[in-house]
Amino acid sequence: MLSITRRALRLLGPALAVLALAGCASVHARPAVPSAPEAQDELLRTAERTLVVRCLAARGLTLPDTVPGRSPAAADDRRLQAALFGTGPRELSLTLATGHTVTAHTDGCVAAARQSLYGDQARWFRAQVTVDNLRAEAQARMKDDPAHRAALDRWTRCAAPPGRPRPERPDPALTARCERESGLADVRARLEPAELAEVRSLHDDQLATYRQLRNRALQRAAELSARTTEQKGNDA
């Protein structure tokens, strides 16, 4: 029969301590982040809404749909909009390669929620706006291609024949038919992947920032969700 000597116990002591610490760490492990992009998006939306609601509550305000049957007065609505989105000149601004400029405030509850989730609202604003408009930038670059210009001219003649006023919003069925008949859909399908790859390469630094800050926000959102669920359980 085997026996453990005092010397053996002294040698085993550090290993046992490590195992004990590992057991404690597993109990307090970080909440898991879902792997599906759709679930991740929903997690971020829920976390941002939770933080916004808390921020508004600290100012004595609530979102309209959290108070059934109550329509905010005009003054209350203006106050709510200011609390949500900020006031005065917009501090954040980014002009895209397409020529459009996107702006945002930094002093509203939405800004505060994003600062809490992403850690740096200004960096997140630049990265998100850039990434959200990559496809638009790629499509803008396609317009310089001769094949695209020719197909677009054919599409214009199809959607608005000479002698007829060009409709402000063409019928969707007509638009789809003209895209097929003019070859515009085929040209776009051929050019867009290459242009999108080029645009992504041009904005590689912002893509890296986007992934870094989004991963941070997902972890913060998961922790917030876990705390909220635990609090609800304690209240129950």
Side-chain angles (χ1 to χ4, degrees), residues 105-182:
H105 286 106
T106 61
D107 59 336
C109 283
V110 171
R114 290 175 181 171
Q115 175 68 29
S116 177
L117 282 174
Y118 297 97
D120 188 327
Q121 187 204 354
R123 288 182 69 211
W124 173 248
F125 170 81
R126 291 191 296 270
Q128 183 190 30
V129 171
T130 300
V131 171
D132 286 350
N133 287 276
L134 290 177
R135 189 171 298 278
E137 184 175 341
Q139 291 172 348
R141 290 166 61 95
M142 284 191 296
K143 295 178 181 179
D144 295 330
D145 187 272
H148 186 276
R149 288 201 301 269
L152 187 59
D153 287 342
R154 292 193 297 270
W155 181 92
T156 302
R157 290 194 297 272
C158 173
R164 298 184 189 176
R166 182 172 181 175
E168 185 176 342
R169 293 185 177 179
D171 178 71
L174 174 63
T175 298
R177 178 174 65 80
C178 290
E179 284 187 352
R180 292 193 304 272
E181 293 179 358
S182 66

Side-chain angles (χ1 to χ4, degrees), residues 44-229:
L44 290 173
R45 281 193 295 267
T46 301
E48 184 173 313
R49 179 182 175 83
T50 298
L51 292 171
V52 166
V53 168
R54 291 179 181 178
C55 175
L56 290 175
R59 305 184 187 193
L61 296 168
T62 56
L63 290 175
D65 57 358
T66 62
V67 185
R70 177 177 177 269
S71 298
D76 290 341
D77 186 65
R78 287 194 297 271
R79 186 180 171 212
L80 176 63
Q81 293 298 312
L84 276 172
F85 303 113
T87 57
R90 299 189 175 191
E91 299 87 352
L92 300 178
S93 177
L94 180 66
T95 299
L96 301 166
T98 58
H100 297 292
T101 299
V102 182
T103 60
H105 286 106
T106 61
D107 59 336
C109 283
V110 171
R114 290 175 181 171
Q115 175 68 29
S116 177
L117 282 174
Y118 297 97
D120 188 327
Q121 187 204 354
R123 288 182 69 211
W124 173 248
F125 170 81
R126 291 191 296 270
Q128 183 190 30
V129 171
T130 300
V131 171
D132 286 350
N133 287 276
L134 290 177
R135 189 171 298 278
E137 184 175 341
Q139 291 172 348
R141 290 166 61 95
M142 284 191 296
K143 295 178 181 179
D144 295 330
D145 187 272
H148 186 276
R149 288 201 301 269
L152 187 59
D153 287 342
R154 292 193 297 270
W155 181 92
T156 302
R157 290 194 297 272
C158 173
R164 298 184 189 176
R166 182 172 181 175
E168 185 176 342
R169 293 185 177 179
D171 178 71
L174 174 63
T175 298
R177 178 174 65 80
C178 290
E179 284 187 352
R180 292 193 304 272
E181 293 179 358
S182 66
L184 183 60
D186 292 336
V187 170
R188 283 177 175 167
R190 176 172 59 82
L191 294 177
E192 187 170 351
E195 291 291 356
L196 189 55
E198 179 66 21
V199 167
R200 291 177 68 88
S201 176
L202 291 173
H203 297 292
D204 185 64
D205 56 338
Q206 291 297 337
L207 280 164
T209 299
Y210 180 89
R211 288 190 291 267
Q212 176 194 1
L213 297 183
R214 180 180 166 89
N215 288 339
R216 179 196 189 277
L218 284 168
Q219 190 59 60
R220 292 278 293 115
E223 292 168 359
L224 176 62
S225 176
R227 288 197 304 270
T228 303
T229 302

Side-chain angles (χ1 to χ4, degrees), residues 29-45:
R30 286 186 173 185
V33 172
S35 57
E38 297 82 4
Q40 292 180 352
D41 291 342
E42 181 60 28
L43 177 64
L44 290 173
R45 281 193 295 267

